[in-house]
Amino acid sequence: MSSESETTGDSAATSAVNGGAAEPEKKPRSFLRELPILILVALVLSFLLQTFVARVYLIPSESMEPTLHGCAGCTGDRIVVEKIGYRFGDPKPGDVIVFRGPDSWSQDFVSTRSSNVVIRGAQEVGSLVGLVPPDENDLVKRVIATGGQTVECCDDQGRILVDGKPLDEPYVVMDFPFVPGSQTCDTALKSARCFGPVTVPEGHLWMMGDNRSNSADSRYHVGDDMQGTIPLDNVIGKAVFIALPPSRMGTISSPDIQGK
C-alpha cells in the first residue's frame, strides 16, 4: 500500500510540473510525408553540383579515340567534367576539356528537345538536375595551343609545332600518313596532317582530337572568323575521370605536351 501511494504521489507531481496533464507521445513522421522534401533537397543539391562543381558527359563520337571511347557500335565513355579549377586559372596545353561549340562548329547540331511544350519543359527541368543532357553542342577535345601562340604542322618528323617547338603527344595513335621524302608538307602528294601556321588570338584556344584522322577540330574550322579557335568563355570544364563503363574507369591524363 505504501508503495502504491508513493507511485501515485510521484505521478501527481509530474502532472503538476507539466501543467496538470501528461504530454501525449509524438507520433513519428510518415516516410511518405517526408519523401517530397527529401526529393526536393536531392534535386537542389544535384542542380548545385552539376552547375558549379562537376557533371557527367557521354562521349558520342570517336574523335578522341583511343583516350576516350565513342566509336560506332561501342559503349561510349561517361566522363566526369570538373568545373572548379578553371575558375582560378585557364586551361593548359595537354588538358582535355569540354566546351560549347561556337556557331561555326554547330551548323549540323540538331536540338534533342521535343516540339511538345510540356515535354520540352520537363526536359529542361531534367537538364538542370543532370537527368537529361543539355540542349547544346558540347564537344570534347584536347588543348594544343593557347592565346598568343603560333601552331602549325609539321616538322620533318610529322610533329605539330607550337612556337617552332615540336609537341610530345604520346596519346596520338591514329593520324594521317606522313612519310619523309614522299608524303610531307612539301611534296606533290601532301600529307593531310599539314596546316597553318595559325596564331591563336588572346583569350582563345586551339583544340584538336586525339584521333587526328577523324576529328572535326580547329583544323576543320580554320576558315571561320576565329581561325578555328574557341573562346575561353565557351569552356565548360576539364575532363578528369572516366566513370563508365567499369572496365575503363580511371583518370584522364593531362601531359605537359609543350615541355614547360
Side-chain angles (χ1 to χ4, degrees):
M1 293 296 291
S2 173
S3 176
E4 288 179 357
S5 298
E6 288 175 0
T7 302
T8 303
D10 290 344
S11 298
T14 302
S15 296
V17 171
N18 292 330
E23 286 187 348
E25 291 185 7
K26 292 183 178 180
K27 293 182 179 180
R29 285 190 176 183
S30 168
F31 174 73
L32 292 179
R33 292 177 60 186
E34 292 185 348
L35 184 59
I37 298 175
L38 295 174
I39 293 175
L40 179 60
V41 170
L43 291 176
V44 170
L45 290 175
S46 178
F47 167 74
L48 294 174
L49 288 171
Q50 300 270 358
T51 303
F52 301 108
V53 181
R55 184 167 191 151
V56 175
Y57 286 82
L58 170 67
I59 301 300
S61 73
E62 54 190 302
S63 69
M64 284 294 292
E65 293 277 357
T67 304
L68 303 175
H69 282 197
C71 55
C74 70
T75 300
D77 288 346
R78 281 170 171 77
I79 60 172
V80 177
V81 177
E82 66 91 2
K83 301 182 177 184
I84 297 177
Y86 292 151
R87 297 181 185 275
F88 304 98
D90 294 335
K92 296 179 175 59
D95 288 356
V96 176
I97 69 171
V98 170
F99 60 96
R100 290 180 293 275
D103 291 343
S104 63
W105 295 55
S106 304
Q107 293 176 352
D108 296 327
F109 175 70
V110 178
S111 172
T112 58
R113 295 296 184 257
S114 171
S115 58
N116 182 287
V117 176
V118 176
I119 296 176
R120 185 167 65 250
Q123 289 174 324
E124 293 296 345
V125 173
S127 178
L128 291 176
V129 296
L131 299 177
V132 178
D135 191 34
E136 58 191 20
N137 187 28
D138 294 335
L139 304 168
V140 58
K141 308 287 181 190
R142 194 180 295 271
V143 180
I144 300 300
T146 58
Q149 295 186 320
T150 298
V151 57
E152 62 184 307
C153 194
C154 304
D155 68 359
D156 57 5
Q157 297 181 43
R159 297 174 297 183
I160 291 176
L161 300 169
V162 174
D163 291 339
K165 298 179 180 179
L167 301 185
D168 179 17
E169 299 187 281
Y171 45 79
V172 175
V173 175
M174 292 168 279
D175 207 343
F176 292 108
F178 188 94
V179 184
S182 61
Q183 192 174 10
T184 66
C185 297
D186 301 317
T187 55
L189 180 59
K190 192 173 182 178
S191 171
R193 293 190 191 186
C194 304
F195 68 86
V198 176
T199 298
V200 181
E202 293 293 340
H204 288 70
L205 302 169
W206 179 269
M207 308 298 304
M208 294 179 71
D210 289 358
N211 183 353
R212 296 292 158 79
S213 57
N214 193 5
S215 177
D217 47 38
S218 288
R219 299 167 297 171
Y220 185 82
H221 301 281
V222 72
D224 67 18
D225 57 353
M226 293 185 289
Q227 294 182 282
T229 63
I230 65 120
L232 286 173
D233 289 343
N234 284 39
V235 175
I236 293 172
K238 181 179 179 180
V240 294
F241 192 79
I242 300 174
L244 290 173
S247 61
R248 285 182 46 76
M249 191 177 294
T251 57
I252 300 170
S253 65
S254 300
D256 181 14
I257 61 175
Q258 295 186 10
K260 292 185 177 181

